[in-house]
């Protein structure tokens, strides 16, 4: 019975101070809206970027750099340990390569968590069409296995990926094609810094949605790349696709131990972007936290005002049998209800704001390409917003509630009578 009376008193107090409590609710609501909107916008860009990167880039890349390098020059010609230093030692003529790449690919595909692996060769080249020349990142691939690692065929917007499987032609990024004015079936000349050049037909143009990739990357068959780059039978890297992308760093370390070649996870490859995203999220956390704290101070100020105004009423309640705990609960309930109503309203309006932003047409061509405003509507944001709002509300209500519960009826009533 007492609990029902306490609830009635809390609701009555809220209703009597509709304007003040309405302002407190608005403060909480605005904090939650900001939390949902800013997180949705930031996570929208980050999620889109990472999704695109993980589709067009491998999860683990094995390079041709050996982790256990060859011994010094003189040591190779002696059976015993040699203490010597050779000045101006020329670099080895032996080309950097991954030895027995097909065996490594087969071994990788037998590992748990590995979905696919493929060997390739990449290097710098220049593509020319008429008088137009443009430097590119040339990728020589085994088309069938490479498409299982990075599904390039899904991004082909003009022409076809299929002829590449027969060792024919070149696949251009959308940006590369635009720069040199190339179309499907045009004949390009691809040349390397060594002076080797080859005429190839444009079989397709792809658009991955990542402008830096589309503006620099072209694909040819592995054999064509080896010819153009002057590296016959050389494989320069092996790319791996994982089932669980979050375990890429551990897989890179495992691959290094197994094969002795330098391996890099997608997290290491994109470390600068991931660090930037972490910094953004930290700044957003501070901003949103500060806004919600301001809402909390609004609740605190209003509750303190109510306690000061209602000191006589509290004294009367105490004198007719209400315990300190009942007074404390009554004021905490008010703070809880203000936070709950403000949090729920903030969640509803925040969702509407995200939906409206997601329909906003905008042309983005930075790190990612999009025709609409990028937002990410994560249900967790609504839970975090409500939970944080209620926590702030309860903490802000505690000081005035505790102060109200410490009121001594004798002192107050004596002061009133005297």
């Amino acid at each position: 019975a007492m609990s029902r009376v306490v609830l009635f008193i809390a609701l009555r107090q809220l209703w009597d101070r509709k304007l003040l409590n309405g302002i407190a609710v608005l403060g909480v609501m605005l904090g939650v809206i900001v939390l949902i909107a800013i997180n949705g916008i930031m996570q929208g860009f980050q999620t889109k970027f990472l999704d695109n990167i993980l589709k067009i880039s491998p999860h683990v890349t094995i390079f041709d750099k050996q982790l256990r390098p060859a011994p010094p020059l003189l040591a190779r010609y002696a059976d015993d340990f040699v203490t010597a230093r050779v000045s101006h030692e020329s670099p080895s003529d032996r080309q950097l390569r991954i030895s027995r790449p097909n065996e490594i690919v087969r071994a990788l595909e037998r590992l748990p968590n590995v979905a696919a692996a493929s060997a390739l060769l990449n290097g710098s080249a220049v593509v020319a069409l008429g008088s137009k020349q443009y430097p590119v990142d040339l990728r020589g691939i085994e088309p069938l296995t490479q498409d299982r690692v990075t599904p390039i065929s899904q991004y082909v917007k003009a022409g076809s990926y299929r002829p590449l499987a027969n060792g024919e032609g070149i696949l251009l990024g959308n940006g590369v094609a635009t720069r040199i004015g190339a179309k499907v079936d045009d004949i390009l000349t691809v040349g390397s810094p060594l002076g080797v050049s080859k005429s190839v037909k444009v079989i397709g143009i792809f658009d991955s949605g990542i402008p830096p990739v589309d503006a620099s990357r072209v694909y040819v068959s592995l054999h064509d790349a080896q010819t153009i780059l002057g590296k016959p039978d050389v494989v320069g890297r092996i790319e791996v696709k994982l089932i669980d992308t979050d375990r890429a760093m551990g897989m890179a370390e495992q691959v290094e131990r197994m094969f002795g070649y330098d391996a890099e996870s997608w997290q290491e490859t994109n470390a600068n972007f991931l660090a930037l995203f972490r910094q953004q999220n930290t700044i957003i956390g501070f901003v949103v936290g500060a806004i919600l704290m301001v809402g909390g101070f609004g609740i605190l100020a209003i509750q303190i005002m109510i306690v000061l105004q209602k000191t006589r009423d509290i004294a009367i309640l105490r004198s007719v049998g209400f315990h300190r705990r009942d007074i404390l609960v009554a004021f905490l309930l008010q703070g809880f209800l203000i936070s709950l109503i403000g949090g729920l309203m903030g969640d509803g309006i925040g969702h509407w704001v995200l939906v409206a932003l997601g329909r906003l047409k905008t042309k983005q061509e930075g790190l990612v390409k999009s025709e609409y405003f990028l937002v990410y509507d994560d249900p967790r944001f609504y839970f975090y917003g409500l939970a944080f709002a209620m926590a702030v509300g309860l903490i802000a209500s505690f000081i005035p509630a505790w102060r109200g519960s410490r009121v001594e009826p004798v002192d107050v009533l004596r002061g009133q009578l005297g």
Side-chain angles (χ1 to χ4, degrees), residues 1-17:
M2 184 63 80
S3 61
R4 282 203 297 273
V5 174
V6 169
L7 177 62
F8 171 77
I9 290 169
L11 292 171
R12 184 60 188 266
Q13 289 282 4
L14 283 173
W15 188 249
D16 282 350
R17 297 283 186 278

Side-chain angles (χ1 to χ4, degrees), residues 331-379:
F331 281 105
L332 284 177
L333 263 174
Q334 289 177 46
F336 174 81
L337 289 169
I338 288 169
S339 303
L340 181 65
I341 295 164
L344 289 172
M345 286 174 68
D347 278 354
I349 297 170
H351 175 68
W352 180 83
V353 167
L354 281 188
V355 170
L357 285 172
R359 289 175 181 164
L360 198 64
K361 276 212 164 191
T362 175
K363 197 163 179 65
Q364 293 187 44
E365 291 231 1
L367 286 172
V368 292
K369 194 184 289 184
S370 176
E371 292 183 7
Y372 290 93
F373 203 85
L374 293 171
V375 293
Y376 182 54
D377 197 358
D378 189 340

Side-chain angles (χ1 to χ4, degrees), residues 87-201:
S87 297
H88 310 298
E89 181 179 346
S90 297
S92 171
D93 289 336
R94 187 174 65 84
Q95 287 181 329
L96 285 173
R97 64 167 68 210
I98 294 176
S99 301
R100 300 188 297 279
N102 294 333
E103 291 178 27
I104 293 175
V105 166
R106 284 196 294 272
L108 284 166
E109 289 184 331
R110 284 197 291 267
L111 292 175
N113 195 35
V114 172
S118 185
L120 69 148
L121 177 66
N122 75 304
S124 298
V126 173
V127 293
L129 178 63
S131 60
K132 289 184 179 176
Q133 296 183 342
Y134 187 67
V136 293
D137 173 21
L138 181 73
R139 301 283 176 105
I141 60 171
E142 293 179 339
L144 296 177
T145 55
Q146 185 66 39
D147 203 47
R148 291 171 55 216
V149 177
T150 52
I152 308 153
S153 61
Q154 292 181 13
Y155 299 101
V156 175
K157 303 299 180 188
S160 173
Y161 181 78
R162 211 171 298 116
L164 207 58
N166 302 323
E168 300 169 14
I170 186 168
L171 190 67
L172 303 180
N174 187 41
V176 177
T178 304
R179 296 287 172 88
I180 60 171
K183 297 181 178 61
V184 176
D185 293 332
D186 282 350
I187 304 296
L188 305 183
T189 303
V190 184
S192 73
L194 296 175
V196 180
S197 64
K198 183 178 171 69
S199 293
V200 285
K201 187 166 86 167

